[in-house]
Structure formats: C-alpha cells, structure tokens
Amino acid sequence: MRKIYRIVFIILFTVMLTGFLSIPQADAEEGSCYLKASNTDVFIIVFDMDRDGNQGHQIWQGRINQGESVKITAPHARFRYDYNAQPDEDQPLSGGQDRSCNSGETVLVP
C-alpha cells in the first residue's frame, strides 16, 4: 500500500512541476515580438502603448539593418514607433503605425 502512495505522489509531483515550469515560457512570449527591417536600414524609436491607445515610455531605440531583426517586449502588447528610413542622414523622424506585439511574431518596419 505504501508503494502505491509513493508512486501516486511521484506522479502528482511530476505533473505539478511540469505545469509550473511551463508557465514562465508562456509569459515570456506575451508582449514579445521581433522588429525586422524589410527594405532598407532603419533607425527606430519604439514606445509602449497603454490599453487606451496612449503613448507610453520608450522601450527601445536603435538601428536595424536591412534583413536583420531585434526582439522587443511591449508591456501592453502594443507599441508605436518613429523611424528614419535613411539612418546615415540627420533628418526628422517619421511617425509609424500602431502595432501589436505578441507571441514572438515578426513585425516589418518601417
């Protein structure tokens, strides 16, 4: 009888441990995506957006070369960006679109 209890305990412990280990992986992808420069090099500044569509704090800034990508995490799974499609020239940034960011998907910029 003790052997049965021990086996049941080990099975339950294993199932619970597996469940706990899988939760952080799911949370890690929520609000995460990749920005990819599709046609040209681009300088980009990325801002978080709240649930009401208001621009929040800056979450990333930098240059992405054509064909390269960078991973970002937007706390509310939405972001807005400003960009310069000619990053080697000093010029004002253009406003980009509001985008969703979730499940590790790739978002093309600009």
Side-chain angles (χ1 to χ4, degrees):
M1 193 62 137
R2 286 186 118 178
K3 190 173 186 178
I4 292 174
Y5 286 128
R6 186 177 297 161
I7 291 171
V8 170
F9 176 76
I10 291 172
I11 291 171
L12 288 175
F13 180 76
T14 305
V15 168
M16 288 188 329
L17 183 62
T18 303
F20 287 129
L21 293 177
S22 65
I23 290 172
Q25 294 172 351
D27 288 343
E29 291 301 316
E30 185 175 330
S32 296
C33 61
Y34 293 89
L35 303 180
K36 183 174 183 178
S38 57
N39 299 329
T40 184
D41 296 353
V42 64
F43 177 81
I44 189 166
I45 301 176
V46 182
F47 300 93
D48 182 36
M49 286 180 53
D50 67 17
R51 298 187 197 286
D52 296 325
N54 300 313
Q55 182 172 309
H57 66 281
Q58 180 179 324
I59 55 176
W60 193 83
Q61 172 181 320
R63 179 182 179 134
I64 307 174
N65 294 323
Q66 181 179 3
E68 293 182 350
S69 62
V70 64
K71 185 176 182 177
I72 65 164
T73 301
H76 297 100
R78 294 206 38 88
F79 68 93
R80 177 177 294 149
Y81 66 92
D82 295 331
Y83 69 95
N84 176 356
Q86 298 174 331
D88 295 322
E89 295 182 25
D90 188 20
Q91 62 183 12
L93 298 173
S94 300
Q97 301 177 14
D98 298 348
R99 298 291 186 88
S100 295
C101 183
N102 212 4
S103 302
E105 58 193 21
T106 298
V107 178
L108 298 177
V109 292

